[in-house]
Structures are given as structure tokens and as C-alpha cells.
Amino acid sequence: MALDFVLDPPVDRQLRDGVLALWTDVTNAGGAVGFVPPVTPEDVRPQWVEHLAAMSEGRMRLVAGFEADGSVAATAFITFNAHRLMSHWVWLYTVMVHPRHHGKGYGRALLAACEDAVRDLNRTGPATADGDAPVYGRDRIEAIRLTCRGGLGLERFYASCGYKEVGRVPDAIRLGDGEYRDDVVMLLPLN
């Protein structure tokens, strides 16, 4: 069964609890989403609050994948660049699919939904806070950029979805004493 992907779903208790549970489960299963296991929803909550603030300010958009029962099964956050020389590309952060759905093609579907959302943003124009002025002035979005933790095979997955590795910082991510991973930069041109 396919997920239903929604750009900017209503932020309510169900979404909050669903995202916190997803983020916790992904992290505790070894996912590279900003934390080192073990974590609880309370450990993740401050990062969720930061994302909410960015969303309310128009700096970030959420793509969420919902199961038929309405539970959150996948997310990714599209983040605009505030720097005027970099407004032609966006970041993709916190790309997650619940571990129980790995191998079902939902990761690929999530990335396609994000690409579609960004292309739609190009058609509809920038988000506005008051209906008049753009919150973050930006040019047409020409690419999506993300980073991933090396050593997990994520580069191969993103490459299979059309992303190209354009940079790598060796040992940039420290998971613990003596345990380092590369920070890999991937880019998807939208031309």
C-alpha cells in the first residue's frame, strides 16, 4: 500500500506525536537523522520545536508521508536558503522512513514527493507570511541539496534516485569516542 504524501500538513497533536515517534524509531534503529541512539521522544522534541519555528517563519516546509490510518510513516523538511547568492537551491533535511517500511520503495517515493513539491514551489512562487511579500526572497529553485552520513550506503541510495555526490568531508561527524563518519554532500539538479 502506498503512502499519501502531503506538503505542509496541518500541525496538530497527531502530527507532532507521529513525527516524534518516527524520529525516535528511526534513530533507535540506527538511522542517520541527527541523533545517536538511544533516544526518546523527549530527546528529539527540541529539534522538532526548532523545525516548527522555521516552518512558521516560512524558512522550512514539511513533506510527510501518511499511512491509510493517518499515522506518520515518512518525513523530509525542505529548507530555503536565506543567503541571496544561494536562493536558487534548497536543502533537504531529516529524510526519514519508518524502519518497518524499509524495502517497500517508500524512500524513493518520499524523495520523488519532495522533488515534486519543490517543482510545485517553482510554479506557485515563494511562500508569503502576510499574502504580499515573500518571507524569503528567492529565485527559481534549480537544485535540491542534502547531506548524509557516510558508511551506511546512503550515498548509493541517493545516487540511485538521481542525486550526485558533489562533496565529502572525511570524519566530519563524530558519533562517539573514536567513531567518525564522513559528511557526504549530494545534489539533485532540477533542470
Side-chain angles (χ1 to χ4, degrees):
M1 176 174 240
L3 298 180
D4 180 28
F5 291 98
V6 178
L7 175 63
D8 300 327
V11 177
D12 55 18
R13 175 178 280 174
Q14 183 177 357
L15 181 70
R16 179 200 67 204
D17 292 349
V19 171
L20 290 175
L22 172 65
W23 212 330
T24 300
D25 291 347
V26 168
T27 299
N28 290 333
V33 289
F35 295 93
V36 176
V39 297
T40 67
E42 289 309 310
D43 296 324
V44 174
R45 186 179 304 277
Q47 190 66 49
W48 167 244
V49 170
E50 285 184 27
H51 281 41
L52 284 175
M55 289 163 48
S56 71
E57 294 168 2
R59 296 182 289 122
M60 182 178 278
R61 309 286 293 269
L62 169 62
V63 175
F66 295 93
E67 296 185 65
D69 67 0
S71 61
V72 179
T75 63
F77 294 86
I78 300 166
T79 304
F80 301 104
N81 284 300
H83 194 288
R84 67 186 158 277
L85 301 179
M86 296 183 189
S87 62
H88 62 287
W89 58 271
V90 295
W91 283 105
L92 203 57
Y93 287 118
T94 322
V95 178
M96 302 185 284
V97 173
H98 197 281
R100 72 175 169 267
H101 295 306
H102 288 185
K104 296 179 181 178
Y106 291 169
R108 233 175 250 297
L110 173 60
L111 291 175
C114 290
E115 181 179 347
D116 289 345
V118 170
R119 289 183 188 281
D120 285 346
L121 292 172
N122 276 337
R123 286 189 279 278
T124 60
T128 60
D130 58 10
D132 296 323
V135 175
Y136 284 89
R138 64 168 171 79
D139 298 321
R140 179 174 181 76
I141 301 168
E142 298 173 10
I144 301 172
R145 186 171 164 181
L146 59 82
T147 62
C148 63
R149 188 182 298 172
L152 300 174
L154 297 170
E155 312 94 309
R156 289 187 304 279
F157 168 70
Y158 288 118
S160 75
C161 295
Y163 286 77
K164 295 182 229 175
E165 183 175 329
V166 295
R168 180 180 290 260
V169 182
D171 297 338
I173 301 168
R174 184 173 64 191
L175 302 176
D177 289 340
E179 189 176 357
Y180 296 88
R181 297 287 186 274
D182 293 353
D183 187 25
V184 182
V185 181
M186 307 290 293
L187 185 76
L188 177 70
L190 296 177
N191 45 3

